[in-house]
Amino acid sequence: MNARMWEHPATQANVDLLVARGVELVGPAAGELAEGEIGVGRMAEPEEIAARVEAILGAGGGALRGRRVVVSAGGTREPLDAVRYLGNRSSGRMGVALAREARRRGAEVTLLAANLAVPAPPGIEVVETPTAADLERAALERAGADVIVMAAAVADYRPAEARADKRPKDGAPWMLELLPTADVLGTLGASRREGQVLVGFAAEGAGPDLERARRKLLAKSVDLVVFNDVSRDDVGFDVPDNEVVLVSAAGEKEVPKAPKERIAAIVLDEVQRLLSEG
Ligand code: CTP
């Protein structure tokens, strides 16, 4: 392709759409083009394309080949009536990036999908888990997995009652009673099997309170807590980037701001380290 065709806004908009749908591009490369011009538009070298396809399909002994990995993603919605719910701003991007990366590394992946705003990656099992109770059920059914990553923002409270119809407006206040939901990660941690790796996320405001993260590690009996600041606009909930601190028994590892795909790769490197320790 000629560089002007590649750079054209229509081409770039189509490329952005494909990438948002989970398509990965290999190239184009820069160099000599068909008409003798120099620029970006060359097809990537066949070896490079083949290597990437192999990595994506987990061929050549992906590092997580033969491992069962469960990832929860998105945010649960707890119904108030037939049309209303209590929810949160999680888009599911972080969990989807983790699921895609685990698949790339050869794992057999199940995605517990809580109201995703982004498409699920191909080649994995997707289980719809719109509420905390759905997510709890699906996660406990798969509690024997080698790796469980709880990236979903699970509601800590749900309305005590959900009306089957739509509550009509009557001008009077609507008092809600909220009941605590089950802590899925805590339950998984309490009954974990040996050699399993459990990963939790901690959504905190106003800078990392690592003491709290360390306490969570122990209290929930998990191997890794991925700490992210949800008070910022440029990272965390519902944006493409994240900036996290990985907290494990080995200590803390700060991961500077990067696309969630890159963060996912770093989290899974850490998971692999923990798996190798048994
Ligand atoms: N989680 C869960 N079940 C819940 C709530 C949360 O499994 N009912 C999981 C989340 O998926 C996440 C981690 O637990 O991996 C977050 O832990 P939580 O203690 O809820 O932390 P925060 O929400 O960050 O903090 P807080 O204690 O203030 O609620």
Side-chain angles (χ1 to χ4, degrees), residues 11-25 100 119:
T11 310
Q12 288 302 311
N14 283 326
V15 165
D16 288 347
L17 180 63
L18 288 172
V19 170
R21 285 181 183 159
V23 171
E24 182 167 332
L25 301 187
R100 180 178 290 124

Side-chain angles (χ1 to χ4, degrees), residues 31-78:
E32 199 173 320
L33 306 174
E35 325 72 34
E37 291 183 33
I38 307 281
V40 177
R42 281 178 68 84
M43 188 184 101
E45 295 305 322
E47 295 74 24
E48 192 194 337
I49 297 172
R52 198 61 208 132
V53 168
E54 210 172 60
I56 289 169
L57 296 179
L64 289 173
R65 181 160 243 194
R67 301 288 195 174
R68 281 185 302 132
V69 175
V70 174
V71 181
S72 71
T76 64
R77 292 177 180 173
E78 310 305 319

